[in-house]
């Protein structure tokens, strides 16, 4: 005889039930009524309403403000087969969206119905983030499934993100599978890039800007400037068509990446300046230098709601200066990855900057992250990246 033990049960408050029924995949601690004392976090739990009706299954987090993360509305086993199906469904979207590409985000957490998991593919290697206890505790199983699905040369653990602390986990990184003898090469359009999966920022590169990098090549002309350049993702695309590109980046290590990536593509028209982009923009304006194309892609300026105003001031400062630095008819490609500064707020800021710069500005195109970063309709938090193409008259 086989006995099956049911997962533990968590009961929602009335508000929690409404939220769950509304389809929101996160339930906050305040909306949970009863949790078994034995739970330590990371478990799959059955979710029920005040009358004991089964509502579905979720990952439970103890330390986090987000207590429950939706997994299913059905009473199905949440086992290796369950995760395998979700991984394959995620990969199927990327095969449709980017049939010929080998660098893309395979799993975008909640948006791919895999909460707390991020998987980026760079050629024959994978870079993975386990962001909550539930995925951390299932690391071996997930790695095993990824090996079967991709047969990668290496799998790198880049769980050194600070958000882990909110879940009671320490940041962690290292090689999980295979071996890595250095950075991994991949293509962005016609540009050869290299990502250091173990030591680079984020999972090794900013894949969310990949499509926008390639788009930027259309706008490369005359004198171009790429601020907050990291490995030169925008700078090198601009350099394909512009006469000359200046890439500004504060990190010495990242400046080395820009130079190496330029050399790899035989692009000799790229100069790298190690500087604070805020200072560079101000000083260059004072010197009277002008540009035909400028890219601004700063790091997130606000990690929470309280920092929104300061973040908007920061955005306004750099966007105002960039508008003043552009020759008439020049292009400004300006991005923000700050979720808390939404599209409306970002546009208001751009409007104010345009006004202060005494320039007329046209919105040519509004973009976001690539198709490998889908947005879950019920969780708009998964839409964070804004990228505007503006013409400054
Ligand atoms: N544009 C890059 C990603 C940028 S991420 C791409 O598309 O791939 C933000 C970058 O800005 C990081 O490399 C970080 O080191 C750099 N940075 C942070 N503060 C900076 C500052 N004040 N001035 C210049 N660079 C800065």
């Amino acid at each position: 005889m086989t006995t099956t033990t049911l997962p533990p049960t968590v009961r929602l408050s009335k508000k929690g039930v409404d939220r769950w029924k509304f389809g929101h995949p996160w339930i906050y601690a305040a909306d949970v009524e009863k949790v078994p004392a034995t739970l330590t976090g990371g478990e799959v739990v059955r979710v029920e309403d005040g009358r004991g009706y089964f509502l579905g299954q979720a990952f439970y987090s103890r330390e986090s403000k987000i207590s429950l993360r939706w997994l299913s509305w059905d009473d199905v086993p949440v086992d290796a087969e369950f995760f395998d199906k979700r991984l394959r469904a995620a990969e199927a979207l990327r095969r449709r969206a980017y049939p010929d590409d080998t660098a893309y985000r395979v799993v975008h957490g909640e948006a791919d119905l895999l909460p707390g998991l991020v998987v980026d593919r760079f050629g024959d290697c994978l870079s993975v983030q386990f962001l909550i206890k539930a995925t951390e505790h299932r690391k071996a199983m997930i790695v095993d499934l990824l090996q079967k699905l991709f047969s990668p040369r290496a799998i790198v653990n880049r769980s050194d993100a600070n958000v882990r602390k909110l879940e009671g986990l320490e940041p962690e990184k290292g090689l999980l599978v295979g071996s890595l003898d250095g950075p991994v090469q991949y293509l962005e359009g016609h540009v050869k890039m290299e990502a250091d999966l173990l030591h680079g920022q984020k999972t090794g590169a900013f894949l969310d800007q990949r499509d926008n990098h390639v788009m930027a090549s259309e706008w490369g002309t005359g004198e171009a400037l790429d601020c907050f350049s990291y490995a030169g993702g925008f700078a090198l695309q601009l350099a394909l068509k512009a006469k000359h590109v200046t890439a500004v980046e504060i990190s010495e290590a990242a400046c080395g990446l820009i130079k190496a990536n330029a050399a790899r593509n035989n692009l000799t028209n790229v100069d790298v300046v190690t500087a604070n982009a805020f200072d560079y923009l101000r000083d260059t304006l004072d010197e009277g230098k002008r540009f035909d194309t400028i890219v601004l892609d700063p790091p997130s300026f606000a990690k929470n709601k309280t920092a929104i105003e300061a973040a908007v001031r920061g955005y306004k400062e750099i966007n105002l200066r960039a508008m003043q630095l552009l020759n008439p008819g020049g292009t400004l490609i300006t991005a923000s990855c700050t979720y808390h500064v939404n599209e409306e707020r970002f546009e208001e800021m751009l409007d104010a900057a345009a006004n202060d710069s005494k320039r007329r500005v046209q919105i040519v195109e509004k973009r976001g992250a690539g198709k490998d970063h889908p947005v879950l309709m019920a969780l708009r938090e998964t839409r964070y990246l804004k990228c505007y193409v503006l013409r400054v008259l």
Side-chain angles (χ1 to χ4, degrees):
M1 202 181 84
T2 56
T3 54
T4 49
T5 44
L6 283 178
T9 298
V10 169
R11 180 171 291 187
L12 302 186
S13 69
K14 172 82 178 59
K15 199 165 152 232
V17 172
D18 289 346
R19 203 174 151 81
W20 180 275
K21 288 193 171 158
F22 201 67
H24 206 288
W26 288 349
I27 301 292
Y28 294 106
D31 300 329
V32 170
E33 219 166 66
K34 213 168 100 190
V35 178
T38 48
L39 296 191
T40 55
E43 296 88 352
V44 172
V45 294
R46 293 166 66 84
V47 181
E48 62 177 35
D49 68 10
R51 285 173 303 172
Y53 281 111
F54 172 83
L55 296 173
Q57 298 182 85
F59 278 148
Y60 174 66
S61 285
R62 218 167 94 129
E63 282 84 355
S64 170
K65 271 194 216 153
I66 305 166
S67 284
L68 298 174
R69 289 177 165 87
W70 180 91
L71 283 174
S72 122
W73 283 301
D74 302 320
D75 195 3
V76 292
V78 180
D79 52 12
E81 196 187 324
F82 178 93
F83 290 107
D84 189 45
K85 270 196 199 145
R86 295 248 161 123
L87 288 172
R88 284 174 194 275
E91 169 64 358
L93 169 67
R94 281 66 181 179
R95 295 276 40 102
R96 285 292 298 272
Y98 301 106
D100 303 318
D101 288 352
T102 60
Y104 50 85
R105 175 153 293 188
V106 183
V107 174
H108 189 39
E110 273 82 347
D112 282 300
L113 314 188
L114 287 162
L117 182 69
V118 169
V119 181
D120 283 348
R121 176 179 172 196
F122 295 92
D124 57 359
C125 298
L126 299 176
S127 187
V128 186
Q129 294 183 311
F130 304 93
L131 297 173
I132 58 177
K133 276 190 185 166
T135 49
E136 173 68 27
H137 294 170
R138 289 166 182 78
K139 195 156 54 182
M141 183 248 284
I142 293 166
V143 164
D144 182 52
L145 293 172
L146 290 172
Q147 277 186 284
K148 285 185 183 129
L149 198 53
F150 293 97
S151 309
R153 174 162 63 94
I155 301 181
V156 172
N157 183 5
R158 286 306 303 266
S159 303
D160 49 333
N162 277 331
V163 287
R164 292 228 326 174
K165 293 199 177 139
L166 304 176
E167 303 290 329
L169 293 167
E170 283 305 309
E172 208 175 81
K173 74 171 173 176
L175 194 64
L176 290 169
V177 167
S179 63
L180 263 185
D181 42 15
V184 180
Q185 302 205 348
Y186 65 103
L187 273 178
E188 293 197 339
H190 297 294
V191 172
K192 289 181 222 136
M193 296 293 287
E194 245 187 25
D196 187 337
L197 304 193
L198 271 171
H199 308 107
Q201 294 189 30
K202 244 180 153 184
T203 58
F206 295 86
L207 284 179
D208 51 357
Q209 288 285 27
R210 200 165 161 264
D211 286 0
N212 295 330
H213 291 162
V214 177
M215 169 282 293
S217 72
E218 296 166 28
W219 299 101
T221 177
E223 273 297 323
L225 173 65
D226 175 25
C227 291
F228 310 92
S229 191
Y230 183 51
F234 282 108
L236 302 188
Q237 297 286 343
L238 293 173
L240 294 176
K241 299 211 180 113
K243 194 162 118 278
H244 178 257
V245 181
T246 306
V248 179
E249 165 60 51
I250 206 164
S251 143
E252 290 271 5
C255 287
L257 297 177
I258 308 170
K259 287 178 195 156
N261 281 330
R264 188 166 297 113
N265 290 279
N266 301 316
L267 292 166
T268 52
N269 56 343
V270 181
D271 276 325
V272 181
V273 178
T274 310
N276 182 330
F278 283 83
D279 298 340
Y280 181 89
L281 289 165
R282 190 192 53 230
D283 296 347
T284 313
L285 193 61
D286 291 347
E287 286 159 18
K289 195 163 178 205
R290 295 295 177 263
F291 295 92
D292 301 291
T293 309
I294 298 179
V295 175
L296 299 175
D297 180 25
S300 177
F301 286 160
K303 303 272 184 246
N304 53 49
K305 278 189 198 158
T306 53
I308 291 179
E309 291 317 311
V312 171
R313 276 196 301 279
Y315 283 122
K316 188 173 165 201
E317 178 176 337
I318 55 175
N319 279 279
L320 169 60
R321 296 239 156 90
M323 287 171 186
Q324 292 171 319
L325 275 168
L326 280 167
N327 286 320
T331 307
L332 173 59
I333 298 173
T334 181
S336 159
C337 59
T338 306
Y339 162 71
H340 296 285
V341 176
N342 62 20
E343 194 175 289
E344 199 186 341
R345 204 73 180 75
F346 192 63
E347 247 175 61
E348 276 170 18
M349 175 281 297
L350 289 171
D351 191 13
N355 198 36
D356 285 7
S357 69
K358 298 263 179 311
R359 305 289 292 267
R360 284 290 176 196
V361 175
Q362 297 169 313
I363 298 176
V364 179
E365 198 183 355
K366 278 190 201 183
R367 305 170 59 98
K371 302 182 200 81
D372 53 344
H373 291 64
V375 176
L376 190 67
M377 197 63 88
L379 188 69
R380 310 290 161 80
E381 284 87 340
T382 45
R383 186 208 314 261
Y384 60 96
L385 187 68
K386 300 151 285 289
C387 180
Y388 281 63
V389 181
L390 305 175
R391 190 163 70 144
V392 179
L393 301 172

